[in-house]
Amino acid sequence: MLLFLSVPQPRPPGARTRAGAARAARWRRRQRLRLQQLRRLRGLLRGLRGRPGAGGRRRGRMALCGQAAGAASLPSELIVHIFSFLPAPDRLRASASCSHWRECLFYPALWPQLRVCLRVSPAEQPRLEFLMRKCGWFVRELRVEFAAENYLSGGGGPGGGGGADPGTGGEEVEALQLSTRWLEVLRTYLELVLCVLVSIRNNRNLQKFSLFGDISVLQQQGNLSNTYLNKVDPDGKKIKQIQQLFEEILSNSRQLKWLSCGFMLEIVTPTSLSSLSNSIANTMEHLSLLDNNIPGNSTLITAVELERFVNLRSLALDFCDFTAEMARVLSDSNHVPLQRLSLLVHNVSVMHKSLDNMPNDEHWKALSRRSPSLRVYIMAFDIKSEDMLKILKPSIPLERIHFDSYITCVSGAIVDLISRQYDKFLTHFILMNDVIDTSGFPDLSDNRNEDPLVLLAWRCTKLSLLAIHGYTVWAHNLIAIARLRGCNLKVLEVTEESIDFDQGELADQDVDPVHNLIEQVSLGLGQPWHAVMDIESLSVFTEPNRHFYREMQSFSEDI
């Protein structure tokens, strides 16, 4: 049985006059049109429900709409509106329902942001090409991260694993296989970078552009860029093409506000930023150029070039590139106050570049006066204590610091200096050590009345994150840290192998020292706590470059 909508028909206003009759006729037409729209909408909803019924009843409903009703008959605008409420995975699954929905999937309004994390693998190339072909020309925010395969460490992957017999020249065979895999990854890396840059070269809507390349794996045994790059790209054509495409993107940009390039092999050159027009440079809000492979005294940006970026609110650079002249430029009255500054101190840069041009304490005071809300984030890779004493000026508004050591360890004096100088600002303190030492982890409290880490927790009242691996942390000191900072210490990550117990605690047979530690720290923090059992689960340890880059991004976005 068919249902018909009954719409009340009140007496048209002014129907007795000729003009009133015309108005009444127009009013009736509007009523009939409204009735048709209601019937069409009811038919569409019934078609979407898909209720089973007799063929005559279904035909009657379709006849009511005047056309076949179903998901495929929805207008594109409505499908795009539905897609806008779905997360990306659900959006992709919904688009598989029919060809019409697939056509609506890559509507520009649905993809204002695109964040892609890629393994440097040949299998990723066709997927990346498809995605960039669809979205590259209109996306407003693009963030791409490249990650090399784990098989570069020598275990498995293309070309076979390294299981040769050492007695029959196995080391030479393994080295050859590893070299072949490195060449393959580097070749794929260049192709993927080209794919990304080619797809956005004419995108004038791009507002945020971030690139991260995990080339640290390609440099585990030193600077491999020249050795392997010459084999993959002997005449340098691909590298030149990549550099020209990057400069073309900068020159074509009309709305770019955020530019970030970290650890990307051979992309940014000292002349790249000159491709930006003055109007874009004047409105740029974030600039990040991190690359510790620039030879000699070359820098990716100079103080003269920085003068164009008058609207810059966050900046990330190699520490050796951040000179006293740059601090003077940022302190100038025609520059907006800088709010976030991230600095990477790498032993490679310190070896090849001088620290003589770095800002002194007066420069930091002037910068802090001009930018009262300025906060600084420093990451130090294998920096000697004497160099850190030169770098850590008292007037730096240091909020976060991350030490990562492979050769040299951080001393207790450095930790004590940080707790005394930056007690008003420090919120994040990360201490990582991967030095192979058969005598055990270094103890920062040696020859000291108080443990430097406990003093850090006592002095730095804003401390909210503390992560430690590779340094001895005594159980009673860990309990003291938890009690001092309490629930304000949101993250306390200490690896199990870093924790040590006093002989008195181990001798007490009535108390399990491990259980007691977990209980006391949990009570101090006001939340359940456990030591980190698997160091490989800590990205800050396994991927320090990526961790720093992501933390720098969130640090700069949190303005």
Side-chain angles (χ1 to χ4, degrees):
M1 181 178 65
L2 293 177
L3 294 177
F4 294 93
L5 295 175
S6 177
V7 180
Q9 301 289 333
R11 181 185 180 91
R16 293 183 178 181
T17 65
R18 184 175 298 178
R23 285 197 298 271
R26 290 195 297 270
W27 181 80
R28 291 190 188 96
R29 284 197 297 270
R30 287 197 297 269
Q31 291 294 324
R32 285 196 299 270
L33 181 60
R34 190 172 299 145
L35 179 60
Q36 292 173 0
Q37 290 174 345
L38 287 172
R39 287 173 176 171
R40 186 178 294 110
L41 179 59
R42 187 181 67 173
L44 284 172
L45 292 175
R46 284 181 173 178
L48 287 175
R49 290 193 191 104
R51 293 178 178 175
R57 187 180 303 173
R58 189 179 297 111
R59 283 193 298 270
R61 286 200 299 267
M62 292 181 180
L64 215 95
C65 303
Q67 61 180 356
S73 64
L74 291 176
S76 300
E77 292 79 4
L78 183 55
I79 297 174
V80 171
H81 186 64
I82 294 171
F83 279 170
S84 67
F85 293 97
L86 300 178
D90 293 341
R91 199 180 297 168
L92 293 172
R93 282 191 287 268
S95 68
S97 61
C98 63
S99 59
H100 182 43
W101 284 48
R102 280 196 298 274
E103 292 172 0
C104 300
L105 176 62
F106 290 103
Y107 195 80
L110 294 174
W111 303 96
Q113 301 177 353
L114 191 60
R115 301 187 179 186
V116 185
C117 186
L118 294 167
R119 293 177 298 110
V120 182
S121 168
E124 297 283 4
Q125 189 166 349
R127 304 170 189 169
L128 179 64
E129 289 176 352
F130 172 80
L131 185 62
M132 298 309 299
R133 185 172 64 252
K134 292 289 187 180
C135 302
W137 61 277
F138 63 75
V139 66
R140 293 181 179 273
E141 178 182 342
L142 178 62
R143 182 178 296 182
V144 183
E145 294 185 6
F146 298 94
E149 293 275 18
N150 291 330
Y151 64 72
L152 285 180
S153 61
D165 183 8
T168 59
E171 293 182 359
E172 290 79 2
V173 174
E174 184 176 356
L176 179 61
Q177 291 174 345
L178 185 59
S179 174
T180 303
R181 292 194 293 271
W182 251 314
L183 291 174
E184 179 188 345
V185 167
L186 189 54
R187 187 179 295 108
T188 305
Y189 166 81
L190 295 179
E191 293 294 336
L192 294 178
V193 173
L194 276 172
C195 175
V196 172
L197 298 183
V198 167
S199 66
I200 62 171
R201 64 192 303 178
N202 296 318
N203 185 346
R204 295 176 180 266
N205 297 321
L206 196 63
Q207 297 178 3
K208 279 189 173 185
F209 185 35
S210 301
L211 285 174
F212 170 81
D214 192 3
I215 62 170
S216 61
V217 179
L218 299 174
Q219 297 170 340
Q220 284 182 348
Q221 299 176 357
N223 190 347
L224 303 177
S225 57
N226 293 332
T227 304
Y228 288 95
L229 206 55
N230 291 335
K231 294 180 180 180
V232 172
D233 188 26
D235 52 2
K237 287 185 178 180
K238 284 189 177 181
I239 290 297
K240 291 179 182 177
Q241 184 182 1
I242 288 174
Q243 294 172 353
Q244 290 173 358
L245 283 170
F246 185 75
E247 293 178 2
E248 186 178 347
I249 291 168
L250 297 185
S251 62
N252 290 338
S253 63
R254 294 295 178 269
Q255 303 182 41
L256 195 63
K257 305 289 185 184
W258 180 292
L259 178 62
S260 181
C261 193
F263 310 105
M264 293 296 294
L265 190 61
E266 303 286 347
I267 286 188
V268 186
T269 66
T271 60
S272 295
L273 290 182
S274 61
S275 303
L276 282 171
S277 64
N278 287 330
S279 60
I280 296 299
N282 291 341
T283 57
M284 187 80 72
E285 296 180 358
H286 171 83
L287 181 63
S288 171
L289 300 174
L290 300 169
D291 189 354
N292 52 34
N293 284 310
I294 300 300
N297 293 322
S298 301
T299 59
L300 296 178
I301 184 172
T302 62
V304 175
E305 186 72 35
L306 191 62
E307 291 179 352
R308 296 200 299 157
F309 296 82
V310 294
N311 202 46
L312 208 62
R313 288 173 169 78
S314 61
L315 177 65
L317 292 175
D318 187 288
F319 183 85
C320 294
D321 293 343
F322 187 71
T323 61
E325 185 63 20
M326 282 190 178
R328 186 198 62 77
V329 170
L330 295 172
S331 304
D332 198 270
S333 59
N334 67 343
H335 197 289
V336 300
L338 190 71
Q339 299 188 40
R340 296 291 183 270
L341 178 61
S342 301
L343 298 171
L344 175 66
V345 193
H346 203 286
N347 64 331
V348 175
S349 298
V350 173
M351 284 190 298
H352 294 92
K353 300 177 182 180
S354 174
L355 292 175
D356 297 337
N357 297 324
M358 67 179 179
N360 57 31
D361 198 52
E362 292 302 320
H363 292 120
W364 284 109
K365 286 181 180 179
L367 186 57
S368 297
R369 283 194 299 268
R370 173 59 185 160
S371 308
S373 59
L374 175 65
R375 296 296 178 266
V376 178
Y377 176 21
I378 292 179
M379 181 172 186
F381 277 99
D382 265 332
I383 304 300
K384 299 177 181 178
S385 295
E386 53 266 28
D387 290 328
M388 286 306 303
L389 291 174
K390 298 177 184 176
I391 292 170
L392 295 174
K393 304 300 182 184
S395 298
I396 299 177
L398 186 66
E399 183 179 284
R400 306 182 183 193
I401 190 163
H402 177 180
F403 290 100
D404 200 288
S405 303
Y406 294 90
I407 302 173
T408 59
C409 296
V410 176
S411 65
I414 295 296
V415 178
D416 185 63
L417 177 68
I418 291 171
S419 66
R420 285 187 286 105
Q421 290 188 165
Y422 312 116
D423 56 306
K424 295 180 181 179
F425 303 104
L426 194 69
T427 62
H428 291 56
F429 187 82
I430 299 176
L431 201 57
M432 294 287 149
N433 173 31
D434 196 26
V435 178
I436 300 176
D437 189 352
T438 56
S439 61
F441 291 152
D443 185 0
L444 297 176
S445 61
D446 274 353
N447 303 321
R448 290 177 175 270
N449 294 328
E450 297 292 341
D451 185 90
L453 294 173
V454 176
L455 291 176
L456 181 85
W458 175 56
R459 292 167 176 161
C460 301
T461 56
K462 294 183 178 180
L463 190 68
S464 61
L465 184 147
L466 180 62
I468 304 170
H469 168 71
Y471 293 86
T472 299
V473 181
W474 295 99
H476 61 273
N477 288 333
L478 192 57
I479 295 172
I481 291 171
R483 290 174 176 174
L484 283 168
R485 292 277 52 87
C487 60
N488 294 323
L489 188 59
K490 305 298 182 183
V491 178
L492 177 60
E493 293 181 336
V494 183
T495 56
E496 182 193 28
E497 54 190 318
S498 301
I499 300 174
D500 206 348
F501 296 88
D502 288 333
Q503 293 299 321
E505 295 174 318
L506 296 175
D508 190 350
Q509 300 294 328
D510 298 331
V511 179
D512 180 3
V514 176
H515 178 76
N516 181 66
L517 172 67
I518 294 173
E519 182 181 5
Q520 293 299 321
V521 173
S522 299
L523 286 173
L525 297 177
Q527 60 180 344
W529 178 88
H530 290 277
V532 177
M533 306 298 291
D534 182 14
I535 185 61
E536 298 299 323
S537 64
L538 283 179
S539 63
V540 65
F541 177 77
T542 57
E543 298 178 294
N545 281 352
R546 185 182 301 275
H547 177 84
F548 171 68
Y549 186 77
R550 289 180 175 177
E551 285 295 306
M552 179 272 297
Q553 295 272 88
S554 61
F555 180 63
S556 299
E557 289 172 346
D558 187 25
I559 297 178

